[in-house]
């Protein structure tokens, strides 16, 4: 088949557009291959180019963006079934042989008067067809044909999965029994007033002529939950349909609601404009039986298609270029955040404890943005002396101060066109906060020693481990700068909140540092893994990497074992006692006894106890915390404060 786009929503619904060897441009102007009269569409919105055996969609810097499967894109290689949203129009890319026939365009005729000859409740008993309805027909042949159609539907339901293809097959099967000229399947959402999808069918379609159906009949079938049969529909000589040149006036029509578990999910509609053909009570009853089977299949297909689209959307969100490791729920939220904010130009504020990977997130935002081929410039606001930070950030002119022997471009200017990452932005001096605010507001600055403004096109990503709201209230951080920075923000989870990622990270770091140290790749023993997983990691991922690097460098075996880990890790209690080597249990028990005895002898005086043990007081405090000795120490204090028992 020839690859093509099929419009499934918008003013061009039902139209097909071939993807030829050249570019196919989509936009509002008439010189586009696909011209859309929509104010939300840019004059030249996007284009589709052949890329070898594939097709690449490129957004042409449109005002409202181009969406593929509900995600904004700048460039994307299209896949079969991708949905492309341009303004209010939606196109589906059909690139393979199993393409679904395009649904015909639908128009509702709200002006058609109609007379109902008979209605039937959805679940009520129906009367047998009148003899006049079967006059001139061979009842046996008709019954046989109806049964064959009902049996045929079972094979259709088992072989078709896509909603549009199923709707097409169902209407074609119905047409073998009901002598209708046209029809439609309409699926509703949470409310019967909201149509999720409309699929039109015509027995003998004419190019460019829409399928016209009665809105009044559909509304009644949905609202009153009744099957509607209308024969000899009255139509005036000068109706809207005749004026539009649409399909001919209806002579008979059927509208049967589709019900699943007592919930209306849609309606199936048929009509004929041949005055020699009558849709009768027999057709109504058969279509009601057919609808009860089809309703479940249509709802299942719609649900499966929604899940498939949601799956694809989530995969696209997680299809990121990044150096982060982990698949826990908290880190997946971070991935989704990156996928949403990367295509935009908004300023981003990344919060989190030290070592949680704020710079990695900033780099991922840059690498998945339209600025990916432009510079990514970092500046740690706490690592540069305040006297030098202004020159480092804004640059300086020759002779601006002593030692300025030449012109120097600052980080802001070097980042032009790309992304500027300001780490530890909470440490920025007040005078530089005002200058940074101007950069964010006006996208311009002045070098030190210059009076000429320089305009830049940058995206600013800030990071901090401070409480900026508190700093703002204390007068240490400008409120206007805070609100400019906090356009889009995220707080990264500490490592203790995503413990399931620790084994992945530990093995990643072990492999990384084995290569750096020219060592064979070593594993991590189950005992060491238990310590790593249950430690709280106050230094987060950075501390974990340091611990693994230390174990790789100092270890000599084929695996990282508990004795290769930092001492702090071995002082914690872990629930899997059966995994602990006896040696480490004895060491911890001995440490507890020594510390408790020293505190008891000194009256719980930490300074004296640390001196007696030959330790620094800060290290003693850490041992007490890691060995969970505080409850035992409180018991000692309470026993010392109790009055002595009276002598007898």
């Amino acid at each position: 088949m020839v690859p093509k786009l099929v419009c499934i929503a918008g003013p061009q619904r039902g139209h097909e557009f071939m993807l030829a060897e050249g570019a196919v441009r989509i936009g509002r102007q008439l010189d586009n291959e696909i011209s859309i009269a929509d104010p939300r569409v840019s004059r030249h919105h996007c284009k589709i180019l052949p890329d070898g055996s594939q097709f690449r969609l490129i957004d042409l810097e449109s005002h409202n963006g181009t969406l593929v499967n509900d995600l904004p894109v700048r460039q994307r290689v299209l896949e079969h079934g991708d949905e492309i949203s341009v303004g209010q129009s939606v196109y589906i890319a059909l690139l393979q042989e199993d393409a679904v026939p395009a649904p015909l365009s639908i128009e509702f005729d709200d002006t058609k008067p109609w007379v109902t000859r008979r209605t039937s409740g959805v679940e009520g008993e129906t009367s047998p067809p009148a003899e006049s309805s079967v006059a001139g027909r061979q009842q046996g042949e008709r019954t046989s044909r109806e049964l064959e159609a009902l049996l045929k539907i079972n094979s259709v339901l088992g072989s078709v999965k896509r909603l549009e293809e199923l709707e097409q097959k169902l209407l074609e099967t119905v047409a073998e029994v009901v002598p209708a000229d046209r029809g439609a399947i309409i699926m509703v959402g949470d409310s019967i007033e909201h149509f999720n999808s409309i699929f039109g069918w015509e027995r003998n379609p004419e190019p460019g002529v829409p399928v016209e159906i009665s809105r009044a009949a559909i509304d009644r079938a949905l609202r009153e939950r009744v099957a509607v049969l209308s024969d000899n529909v009255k139509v005036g000589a000068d109706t809207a349909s005749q004026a539009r040149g649409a399909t001919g006036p209806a002579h008979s029509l059927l509208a049967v609601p589709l019900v699943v578990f007592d919930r209306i999910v849609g309606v199936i509609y048929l009509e004929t404009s041949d005055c020699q053909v009558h849709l009768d009570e027999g057709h109504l009853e058969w279509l009601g039986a057919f609808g009860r089977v089809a309703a479940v299949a249509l709802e299942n297909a719609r649900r499966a298609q929604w899940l498939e689209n949601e799956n694809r959307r989530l995969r696209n969100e997680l299809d990121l270029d990044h150096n982060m490791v982990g698949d826990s729920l908290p880190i997946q939220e971070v991935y989704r955040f990156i996928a949403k904010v990367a295509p935009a130009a908004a300023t981003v504020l990344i919060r989190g404890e030290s070592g949680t990977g704020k710079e990695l997130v900033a780099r991922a935002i840059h690498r998945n943005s339209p600025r990916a081929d432009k510079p990514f410039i970092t500046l740690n606001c706490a690592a540069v002396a305040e006297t030098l930070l202004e020159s480092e950030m804004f640059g300086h002119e020759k002779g601006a101060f002593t030692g300025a022997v030449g012109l120097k471009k600052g980080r802001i200017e070097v980042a032009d066109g790309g992304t500027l990452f300001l780490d530890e932005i909470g440490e920025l001096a007040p005078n530089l906060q005002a200058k940074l605010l101007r950069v964010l507001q006006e996208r311009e600055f002045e070098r030190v020693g210059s009076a000429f403004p320089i305009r830049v096109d940058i995206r600013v990503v800030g990071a901090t481990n401070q409480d900026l709201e508190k700093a703002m209230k204390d007068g240490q951080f400008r409120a206007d700068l805070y609100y400019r920075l906090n356009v889009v923000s995220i707080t990264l989870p500490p490592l203790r909140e995503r413990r399931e990622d620790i084994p992945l990270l530990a093995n990643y770091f072990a492999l990384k540092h084995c290569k750096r140290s020219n060592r064979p790749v070593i594993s991590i023993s189950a005992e060491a893994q238990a310590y790593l997983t249950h430690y709280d990691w106050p230094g987060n991922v950075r501390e974990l990497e340091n611990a693994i690097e230390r174990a790789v460098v100092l270890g000599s075996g084929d695996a990282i074992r508990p004795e290769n880990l930092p001492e702090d890790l071995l002082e914690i209690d872990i629930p899997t006692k059966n995994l602990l080597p006896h040696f480490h249990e004895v060491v911890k028990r001995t440490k507890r006894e020594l510390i408790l005895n020293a505190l008891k002898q000194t009256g719980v005086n930490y300074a004296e106890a640390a001196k007696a043990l030959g330790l620094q007081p800060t290290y003693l405090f850490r041992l007490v915390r890691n060995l969970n000795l505080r409850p035992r120490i409180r018991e000692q204090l309470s026993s010392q404060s109790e009055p002595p028992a009276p002598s007898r």
Side-chain angles (χ1 to χ4, degrees), residues 247-552:
T247 50
H251 181 76
S252 298
L253 65 82
L254 293 173
V256 173
L258 302 171
V259 181
V260 176
F261 297 122
D262 201 38
R263 180 173 64 89
I264 295 282
V265 299
V267 62
I268 183 168
Y269 175 94
L270 300 169
E271 71 171 42
T272 176
S273 54
D274 187 349
C275 61
Q276 303 298 319
V277 175
H278 294 272
L279 304 182
D280 57 32
E281 286 89 343
H283 295 130
L284 180 70
E285 292 183 4
W286 182 87
L287 190 62
F290 181 91
R292 284 190 285 275
V293 177
V296 177
L298 288 166
E299 180 65 6
N300 288 341
R302 179 169 64 172
R303 181 67 178 171
Q305 189 161 311
W306 180 87
L307 290 172
E308 181 183 337
N309 292 338
E310 186 70 5
N311 237 352
R312 183 168 53 192
R313 182 184 68 79
L314 292 173
R315 283 198 305 269
N316 289 337
E317 283 186 0
L318 300 181
D319 187 18
L320 297 170
D321 183 10
H322 63 82
N323 290 328
M324 292 177 284
V325 176
D327 56 9
S328 63
L329 290 177
I331 204 66
Q332 287 184 29
E333 287 296 324
V334 176
Y335 296 155
R336 280 190 277 273
F337 173 84
I338 294 170
K340 289 178 181 178
V341 304
T347 303
V348 180
L349 179 62
I350 305 172
R351 304 167 183 261
E353 298 176 8
S354 179
T356 50
K358 295 186 287 294
E359 184 172 343
L360 283 178
V361 173
R363 289 185 181 275
I365 290 172
H366 172 75
R367 288 162 64 174
N368 292 277
S369 75
R371 301 172 182 265
D373 57 344
K374 299 294 172 50
F376 178 84
I377 305 299
T378 66
L379 177 61
N380 190 318
C381 301
V384 183
E386 184 178 337
T387 54
L388 301 176
L389 187 56
E390 182 177 10
S391 172
E392 193 68 29
M393 184 179 293
F394 299 98
H396 61 251
E397 297 285 345
K398 180 179 180 181
F401 50 83
T402 303
V405 295
L407 181 147
K408 176 186 176 181
K409 291 184 177 181
R411 303 288 180 96
I412 294 175
E413 191 171 354
V414 175
D416 188 26
T419 302
L420 175 67
F421 175 58
L422 297 175
D423 199 5
E424 304 295 346
I425 199 167
E427 302 289 342
L428 203 59
N431 64 315
L432 295 182
Q433 292 180 24
K435 293 189 174 185
L436 177 60
L437 177 63
R438 182 187 175 194
V439 174
L440 292 174
Q441 288 179 328
E442 308 296 338
R443 289 300 192 265
E444 68 178 28
F445 69 98
E446 296 169 2
R447 297 194 191 108
V448 177
S450 172
F452 298 99
I454 300 173
R455 294 197 61 81
V456 287
D457 172 25
I458 60 171
R459 181 183 195 173
V460 176
V461 178
T464 184
N465 59 8
Q466 294 188 10
D467 185 347
L468 290 186
E469 289 83 357
K470 183 178 183 300
M472 183 174 61
K473 292 176 182 177
D474 295 342
Q476 298 174 355
F477 200 83
R478 292 179 63 110
D480 46 7
L481 177 59
Y482 169 78
Y483 293 120
R484 280 288 178 181
L485 284 171
N486 195 35
V487 177
V488 182
S489 67
I490 185 174
T491 300
L492 301 187
L495 191 54
R496 60 184 173 274
E497 293 181 5
R498 53 184 190 107
R499 294 183 188 274
E500 54 265 50
D501 289 336
I502 291 176
L504 290 174
L505 286 162
N507 283 283
Y508 170 78
F509 291 137
L511 177 62
K512 172 183 174 181
H513 291 291
C514 282
K515 289 181 178 179
R516 284 188 177 180
S517 304
N518 293 319
R519 282 197 58 183
V521 176
I522 59 178
S523 60
I524 301 175
S525 69
E527 297 88 349
Q529 197 101 274
Y531 279 110
L532 293 172
T533 304
H534 290 88
Y535 184 60
D536 275 347
W537 300 107
N540 292 296
V541 180
R542 187 180 293 122
E543 184 185 4
L544 172 62
E545 181 173 8
N546 291 342
I548 297 298
E549 183 179 9
R550 175 187 185 276
V552 169

Side-chain angles (χ1 to χ4, degrees), residues 113 234-243 249:
K234 296 181 179 180
V235 180
D238 188 20
T239 62
S241 62
Q242 291 169 333

Side-chain angles (χ1 to χ4, degrees), residues 596-617:
L596 289 171
N597 287 335
L599 288 170
K600 182 177 181 180
Q601 292 173 9
T602 59
V604 196
N605 185 315
Y606 280 87
E608 291 297 325
K611 185 177 179 180
L613 292 169
L615 302 174
Q616 292 291 329

